Amino acid sequence: MDVLSPLARHLPSLSVCYVDETFAGWGTDEACIIKILGHRNAAQRKLIRETYEATYEKDLLQDLDGEISGDFQRVVHLWTMAPAERDAYLANEAIKHLPGSNCIIMEIACARSSVDLFKVRQNYQARYKKSLEEDVADHSTGDFRKLLVSLVTALRYEGEEVNMELASDEAKILHEKISDKAYSDEEFIRILSIRSKTQLNATFNQYNDKFGNAINKDLRANPKDQYLTLLRSAIKCLMEPEKYFEKVLRLAMKGFGTDEESLTRVVATRAEVDMELIKEKYYKRNSVTLESAISDDTSGDYEKMLLALIGHGNL
């Protein structure tokens, strides 16, 4: 049973007082926002929002948006949301910019558990009065539509049981489709969309053992093909999300300039999930800590909030 500690039970009302004080008088105390919201887990943030609304009859998110701005506002806004609410919000934003934001829809579909993805779909429908799959289908075309709609409607088995005979058979099917360049074949997409992640891992291992290459290596026939890029990303996100998100962070801070949108999205969505693993992968791949990279590429309250979130560990 998930029960908040006695101290945590007092956090909502205590934090609400502090948050309200940050808005009082001249200016806003951004450090206080970071101190409170940047160090509260999802259950505590939910209680803070509920207590704030009950106390002041106002939406905390709207009040925060009215007091802060820029990248700092964006990360605070996303972080303060409940996970399913946040994903529904991100999905709706991404749908408006398809196909350029295909990867965001794919991330939400592949990196979340079946239970979490179901909650996202419920939240999306309640918030936007349309189903997530309907909106994805309406705003995408061709092979992208086939893949993304199948992924967002997936309801995968979450257990550890594996059928090795099925893994062997489906590895052969995948190899046949790749050999025929039938990358959007219904059977190919069906396997990716309905099998559990444990079963897929066994299938991809069988693929490697039988045919001598990792499946993603064989999907590099045309590196410039955007559909194949999305397909490879989906497989990586399903099997090794920490490696996928490490790459997103690396590319977001590579070279001149910073992709703040991607940096913010990954930190806000993974801070309470697998950030410690992502940090380990980042250091191993880049020989520099994620903290150092963020400090080099960002500044001010935005930097401080990001650093607070990636330090969350198991909150």
Side-chain angles (χ1 to χ4, degrees):
M1 183 176 180
D2 183 20
V3 181
L4 293 175
S5 68
L7 175 60
R9 290 182 182 277
H10 293 289
L11 282 174
S13 56
L14 181 62
S15 298
V16 161
C17 292
Y18 282 131
V19 170
D20 186 56
E21 287 175 7
T22 68
F23 301 156
W26 299 99
T28 301
D29 186 350
E30 287 82 359
C32 191
I33 292 173
I34 297 169
K35 182 178 181 181
I36 297 170
L37 295 177
H39 296 87
R40 300 291 182 268
N41 63 30
Q44 292 166 344
R45 297 194 306 276
K46 181 175 183 290
L47 288 173
I48 289 170
R49 286 179 65 187
E50 291 172 349
T51 306
Y52 189 93
E53 183 172 1
T55 304
Y56 302 108
E57 298 183 351
K58 294 187 290 184
D59 182 354
L60 175 59
L61 282 177
Q62 289 183 4
D63 278 1
L64 285 167
D65 289 347
E67 294 291 331
I68 57 180
S69 61
D71 295 322
F72 178 55
Q73 177 273 330
R74 172 77 171 175
V75 70
V76 169
H77 186 102
L78 290 179
W79 176 247
T80 306
M81 287 178 151
E85 177 190 17
R86 180 198 303 133
D87 281 342
Y89 176 81
L90 287 169
N92 184 255
E93 281 191 331
I95 284 169
K96 296 172 185 176
H97 299 96
L98 291 175
S101 53
N102 282 325
C103 63
I104 299 175
I105 303 297
M106 179 280 297
E107 286 175 13
I108 293 169
C110 295
R112 279 52 166 177
S113 69
S114 290
V115 172
D116 289 339
L117 180 56
F118 181 71
K119 290 178 181 177
V120 173
R121 295 206 302 264
Q122 285 183 311
N123 195 286
Y124 193 97
Q125 186 160 320
R127 186 182 182 108
Y128 300 109
K129 311 308 177 187
K130 293 179 73 175
S131 70
L132 174 57
E133 50 268 39
E134 179 185 5
D135 252 2
V136 171
D138 286 347
H139 291 81
S140 56
T141 59
D143 292 345
F144 292 108
R145 176 193 285 165
K146 289 170 64 176
L147 178 61
L148 291 175
V149 170
S150 294
L151 290 176
V152 299
T153 55
L155 187 60
R156 304 175 193 274
Y157 167 65
E158 292 286 343
E160 296 299 317
E161 185 175 341
V162 171
N163 183 327
M164 291 306 299
E165 183 178 352
L166 179 65
S168 177
D169 290 343
E170 293 193 333
K172 293 177 184 177
I173 292 172
L174 292 174
H175 186 260
E176 289 172 3
K177 300 304 179 184
I178 292 174
S179 297
D180 293 340
K181 294 182 168 48
Y183 307 117
S184 61
D185 182 89
E186 288 185 6
E187 190 73 353
F188 194 113
I189 293 176
R190 181 190 68 81
I191 292 170
L192 287 187
S193 301
I194 70 171
R195 297 301 178 212
S196 72
K197 295 179 181 181
T198 307
Q199 183 69 37
L200 283 174
N201 187 58
T203 299
F204 297 149
N205 285 337
Q206 285 286 303
Y207 187 103
N208 189 41
D209 292 344
K210 289 177 180 294
F211 308 110
N213 276 330
I215 187 170
N216 266 2
K217 185 174 181 180
D218 284 349
L219 286 170
R220 292 186 180 276
N222 182 358
K224 294 183 179 180
D225 186 313
Q226 292 303 304
Y227 175 75
L228 287 183
T229 298
L230 184 65
L231 198 57
R232 292 194 304 272
S233 294
I235 290 171
K236 181 176 283 189
C237 209
L238 284 164
M239 295 297 96
E240 299 179 294
E242 66 279 2
K243 283 191 176 181
Y244 169 83
F245 287 111
E246 181 281 323
K247 183 177 181 180
V248 176
L249 290 172
R250 173 164 34 95
L251 294 179
M253 295 183 284
K254 183 179 181 181
F256 295 103
T258 304
D259 178 359
E260 289 87 1
E261 182 178 342
S262 295
L263 176 58
T264 299
R265 183 182 76 254
V266 173
V267 170
T269 58
R270 307 311 292 182
E272 292 178 294
V273 182
D274 54 1
M275 184 53 68
E276 291 304 306
L277 286 174
I278 293 170
K279 286 160 65 175
E280 289 176 13
K281 297 295 182 185
Y282 193 93
Y283 182 76
K284 184 175 181 179
R285 175 64 174 75
N286 305 284
S287 299
V288 63
T289 65
L290 181 57
E291 290 89 342
S292 295
I294 288 175
S295 291
D296 287 343
D297 267 58
T298 62
S299 61
D301 296 316
Y302 178 53
E303 174 196 355
K304 293 173 185 174
M305 187 66 179
L306 291 176
L307 292 178
L309 298 188
I310 67 169
H312 261 277
N314 295 321
L315 261 189

